[in-house]
């Protein structure tokens, strides 16, 4: 800055012309993703991925063994940052799902449910410790297969995965204290279906409480992110978990549908889109008396509400963490920002400056803030929704950075001039895109925040404790963060209202989803 000023004073017409053209030229949308990096970028700092080879093919994990799918069908799993094929994954059909369920039933009856809670807890502790030992390997693979930045998979996902196994290991021999005066009994075989945004963490959220309560499991990971689930299978073998206690059937949506329809499953736990959640609820309801129990963790459209009395710089960081964490591939992402009118201009100015400092690129680089979008399909969906916002009159602001030529990328984006009826204010985008709106009074804030079919999470930024309590009572959301956002802990229950689903995961509530209380 000082140099520019000096040149200006010396009357350098070149500098003057250059700065004038840079500030006035309006670039087309694609070109706007250029280039603050030249000024003050870091040297590359990629995490080593050579030490963790990926086998060319991954089979199903049934009855403690890796077995080929009956139909011998496989599909490719790719790295979304490079579009390179990483491996082939087995595609399970109904026969494989039936075999996995039979293995889980045998293990349930013969080994796992008769075992004492104390013994079950030992296995869970062992699994948690091996996850900690192998956490670097798991973080690298999670990043390569799913596209999330290594600093998130290494510092957030993996510690939480281990923490969930540790936490529920602790409950395994204390279930009667969790439910005083009641006798908790396991449900039987749990069919669990998970999405691609937190592959290992979602597996941990599902498997750890189920096993702690004495259930056995058939897990169906998401199609684009199965590699770490198969590493988890190796960890189960290493921990000498009895065969059949956890079975993993990889595949596409039809594999998940086969699991939902499979007879002999006592509980279905699903995390994913509201659309698929509704299909599952319908399919389960049609089974009548034979229906398994069901919990659904579905989509969200969280409101992040910033009051005039908030610590604004802290709130800006919370907004950034709320929407750009994991490329916005977060069900509870703070994707609607409500700013009180008096600070609107300040917040927008600070947000605009802050997103220019975010680094988009190689997810394995330790300095990367925004990694790759998980799949070409998801990228297409994000682009279409942002375009709908622009068509409906919203104003687009994006990070001006150079995007890699290969892979699936979307820069941190926010939209102003958004109204409640715009699709970007109503639909889940599941990408790094924030819709900004304003409000005047607390009443208006919670009414506008609740004006969505979803109800998973919300955030409130204010200096006043009383305002936090008032808002938390009025907001129809399963989680309300106060002066923070996107913080998770195994001891806290997590789940939704309305079309964000029902049932809770985490904490004591997460245990009750896998117990019959007598
Ligand atoms: P999705 O399309 O609903 O898929 C979720 C899982 O269901 C995947 O394993 C998927 O398999 C499988 N599936 C697809 N069709 C199925 C069917 N007809 N029957 C049974 N299973 C089926 O969701 P996604 O796109 O992977 O994940 C993003 C969504 O998850 C977002 O809406 C997000 O909000 C939600 N989510 C919610 C939470 C929460 O705790 N509330 C947490 C994380 C994510 P394939 O991968 O093979 O299609
Ligand atoms: Mg992949």
């Amino acid at each position: 800055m000082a140099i520019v000023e000096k040149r200006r004073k010396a009357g350098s017409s070149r500098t003057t012309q250059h700065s004038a053209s840079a500030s006035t030229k309006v670039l087309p949308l694609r070109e706007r993703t250029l280039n603050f990096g030249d000024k003050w970028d870091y040297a590359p700092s990629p995490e080593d991925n050579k030490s963790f080879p990926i086998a060319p093919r991954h089979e199903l994990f049934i009855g403690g063994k890796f077995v080929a799918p009956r139909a011998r069908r496989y599909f490719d799993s790719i790295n979304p940052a490079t579009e390179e094929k990483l491996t082939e994954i087995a595609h399970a059909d109904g026969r494989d799902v039936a075999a996995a369920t039979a293995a889980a039933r045998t293990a349930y009856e013969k080994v796992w449910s008769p075992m004492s809670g104390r013994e079950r807890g030992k296995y869970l502790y062992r699994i948690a410790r091996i996850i900690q030992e192998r956490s670097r390997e798991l973080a690298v693979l999670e990043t390569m297969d799913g596209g999330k930045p290594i600093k998130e998979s290494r510092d957030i996902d993996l510690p939480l995965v281990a923490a969930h196994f540790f936490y529920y290991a602790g409950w395994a021999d204390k279930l009667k204290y969790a439910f005083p005066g009641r006798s908790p009994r396991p449900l039987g075989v749990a069919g669990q279906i998970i999405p691609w945004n937190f592959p290992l963490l979602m597996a941990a959220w599902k498997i750890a409480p189920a096993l702690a309560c004495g259930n056995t499991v058939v897990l169906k990971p998401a199609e684009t992110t199965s590699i770490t689930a198969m590493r988890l299978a190796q960890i189960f073998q290493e921990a000498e978990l009895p065969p059949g206690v956890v079975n993993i059937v990889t595949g596409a949506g039809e594999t998940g549908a086969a699991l939902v329809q499979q007879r002999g499953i006592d509980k279905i736990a699903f995390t994913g889109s509201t659309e698929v959640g509704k299909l599952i609820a319908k399919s389960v309801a049609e089974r009548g008396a034979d229906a398994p129990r069901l919990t659904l963790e579905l989509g969200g459209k969280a409101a992040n509400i910033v009051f005039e009395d908030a610590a604004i710089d802290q709130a800006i960081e919370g907004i950034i963490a709320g929407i750009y964490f994991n490329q916005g591939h977060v069900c509870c992402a703070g994707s609607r920002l409500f700013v009180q009118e008096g600070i609107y201009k300040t917040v927008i100015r600070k947000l605009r400056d802050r997103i220019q400092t975010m680094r988009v690129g190689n997810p394995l680089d330790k300095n990367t803030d925004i990694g790759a979008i998980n799949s070409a399909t998801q990228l297409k969906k994000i682009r279409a929704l942002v375009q709908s916002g622009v068509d409906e009159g919203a104003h687009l602001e994006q990070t001006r950075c150079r995007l890699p030529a290969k892979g699936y990328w979307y820069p941190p984006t926010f939209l102003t001039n958004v109204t409640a009826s715009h699709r970007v204010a109503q639909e889940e985008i599941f990408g790094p895109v924030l819709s900004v709106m304003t409000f005047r009074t607390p009443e208006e804030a919670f009414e506008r925040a609740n004006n969505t079919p979803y109800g998973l999470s919300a955030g409130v930024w204010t200096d006043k404790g009383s305002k936090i309590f008032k808002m938390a009572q009025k907001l129809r959301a399963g989680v309300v963060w106060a002066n923070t956002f996107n913080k998770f802990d195994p001891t806290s229950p997590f789940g939704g209202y309305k079309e964000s689903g029902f049932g809770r995961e985490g904490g004591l509530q997460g245990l009750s989803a896998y117990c019959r209380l007598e």
Side-chain angles (χ1 to χ4, degrees):
M1 191 57 164
I3 294 169
V4 175
E5 286 301 315
K6 228 169 152 181
R7 280 193 191 153
R8 270 198 196 132
K9 277 184 195 145
S12 160
S13 60
R14 226 185 64 172
T15 312
T16 320
Q17 267 174 17
H18 174 77
S19 53
S21 65
S23 62
T24 50
K25 193 173 161 196
V26 177
L27 296 166
L29 182 56
R30 274 176 65 86
E31 302 294 313
R32 261 185 260 165
T33 55
L34 284 175
N35 199 4
F36 94 98
D38 287 356
K39 281 189 219 151
W40 26 296
D41 213 352
Y42 293 161
S45 172
E47 178 73 56
D48 165 48
N49 64 347
K50 302 283 177 308
S51 322
F52 311 116
I54 300 172
R57 182 171 269 194
H58 286 76
E59 307 289 6
L60 308 172
F61 184 61
I62 298 178
K65 295 199 184 78
F66 290 98
V67 296
R70 302 285 160 105
R72 299 287 188 275
R73 274 177 70 198
Y74 295 85
F75 60 91
D76 292 347
S77 195
I78 63 150
N79 181 339
T82 58
E83 298 178 50
E84 280 161 4
K85 175 176 163 180
L86 294 171
T87 184
E88 278 175 11
I89 304 277
H91 191 300
D93 65 14
R95 292 170 298 172
D96 302 306
V97 169
T101 309
R105 174 64 51 195
T106 308
Y108 175 73
E109 282 167 7
K110 301 233 158 79
V111 189
W112 199 245
S113 71
M115 190 184 280
S116 71
R118 190 151 174 255
E119 289 302 308
R120 287 200 304 268
K122 284 187 195 166
Y123 284 103
L124 289 171
Y125 278 123
R126 203 182 286 169
I127 292 165
R129 281 195 296 268
I130 301 174
I131 289 171
Q132 281 187 323
E133 282 161 20
R134 292 178 63 172
S135 71
R136 193 156 147 261
E137 165 193 358
L138 292 167
V140 167
L141 296 175
E142 197 79 315
T143 284
M144 287 174 71
D145 200 17
K148 64 172 63 193
I150 187 74
K151 69 178 178 191
E152 288 179 9
S153 44
R154 183 195 60 195
D155 298 344
I156 299 171
D157 293 46
L158 261 300
L160 278 171
V161 172
H164 269 84
F165 277 101
F166 276 121
Y167 175 72
Y168 283 111
W171 274 120
D173 62 346
K174 303 175 195 70
L175 293 175
K176 61 179 189 218
Y177 302 105
F179 308 104
R182 314 285 295 272
S183 306
R185 301 259 175 268
L187 299 174
V189 178
Q192 306 180 325
I193 303 170
I194 54 173
W196 43 260
N197 57 346
F198 292 91
L200 267 178
L201 185 57
M202 291 297 112
W205 278 24
K206 298 256 177 301
I207 295 172
L211 297 196
C213 296
N215 305 278
T216 56
V217 163
V218 180
L219 178 82
K220 149 66 179 104
E223 199 178 333
T224 55
T225 53
S226 301
I227 293 178
T228 48
M230 299 323 290
R231 284 294 151 121
L232 202 53
Q234 286 179 0
I235 289 174
F236 295 146
Q237 280 186 329
E238 201 181 324
E240 294 175 10
L241 188 70
V245 171
V246 178
N247 306 273
I248 304 181
V249 285
T250 45
E254 64 219 61
T255 310
L259 184 56
V260 172
Q261 278 147 26
Q262 176 65 41
R263 298 299 185 264
I265 298 258
D266 303 287
K267 152 98 190 186
I268 294 286
F270 171 79
T271 296
S273 60
T274 295
E275 189 191 350
V276 174
K278 284 181 183 173
L279 289 176
I280 291 177
K282 185 163 179 284
S283 152
V284 166
E286 282 167 0
R287 299 256 297 268
D290 179 39
R293 288 195 185 195
L294 179 65
T295 43
L296 297 174
E297 299 273 9
L298 309 177
K301 191 75 190 171
N304 209 353
I305 302 168
V306 185
F307 285 96
E308 280 165 3
D309 57 12
I312 295 187
D313 288 334
Q314 196 185 325
I316 295 290
E317 291 310 308
I319 295 163
I320 297 282
I323 185 62
Y324 302 128
F325 170 48
N326 194 15
Q327 295 78 245
H329 297 334
V330 186
C331 49
C332 49
S335 55
R336 291 178 303 152
L337 173 65
F338 290 97
V339 184
Q340 201 160 17
E341 275 186 4
I343 52 165
Y344 177 73
K345 279 193 182 152
T346 315
V347 167
I348 294 298
R349 177 173 51 77
K350 285 179 182 264
L351 201 54
R352 189 180 286 137
D353 291 347
R354 179 64 176 86
I355 66 166
Q356 297 309 334
T357 68
M358 299 193 82
R359 290 179 164 73
V360 185
N362 180 6
L364 278 174
D365 193 312
K366 289 163 215 147
N367 296 319
T368 293
D369 299 305
I370 303 275
I373 299 300
N374 184 262
S375 63
T377 321
Q378 188 58 26
L379 180 59
K380 212 168 137 202
K381 191 182 146 201
I382 297 168
R383 284 189 176 143
L385 269 163
V386 171
Q387 192 57 50
S388 83
V390 173
D391 293 346
E392 287 182 298
H395 179 73
L396 181 83
E397 301 262 3
Q398 282 182 326
T399 305
R400 295 183 300 278
C401 58
R402 194 181 286 131
L403 298 178
K406 277 213 136 189
Y408 314 128
W409 309 95
Y410 203 82
T413 298
F414 69 88
L415 295 160
T416 54
N417 208 26
V418 174
T419 68
S421 63
H422 286 171
R423 279 181 67 199
V424 290
Q426 289 290 329
E427 293 177 32
E428 186 181 41
I429 300 180
F430 227 58
V433 181
L434 177 69
S435 299
V436 189
M437 290 164 275
T438 58
F439 69 94
R440 284 183 186 170
T441 62
E443 288 69 27
E444 191 188 346
F446 63 71
E447 273 167 24
R448 299 194 67 183
N450 288 339
N451 180 18
T452 159
Y454 297 110
L456 195 54
S457 63
V460 179
W461 296 84
T462 170
D463 207 21
K464 283 237 175 333
S466 58
K467 220 182 267 174
I468 290 171
F469 286 118
K470 179 174 175 178
M471 293 300 290
Q473 277 175 356
K474 297 283 184 183
L475 286 165
R476 299 278 294 158
V479 180
V480 179
W481 283 291
N483 293 328
T484 186
F485 209 94
N486 270 344
K487 288 277 187 282
F488 306 94
D489 189 283
T491 62
S492 304
F494 184 91
Y497 278 84
K498 301 191 281 186
E499 289 200 10
S500 292
F502 49 80
R504 294 289 178 265
E505 287 182 318
L508 268 178
Q509 291 80 352
L511 281 176
S512 57
Y514 287 98
C515 290
R516 185 176 290 112
L517 295 178
E518 288 167 1

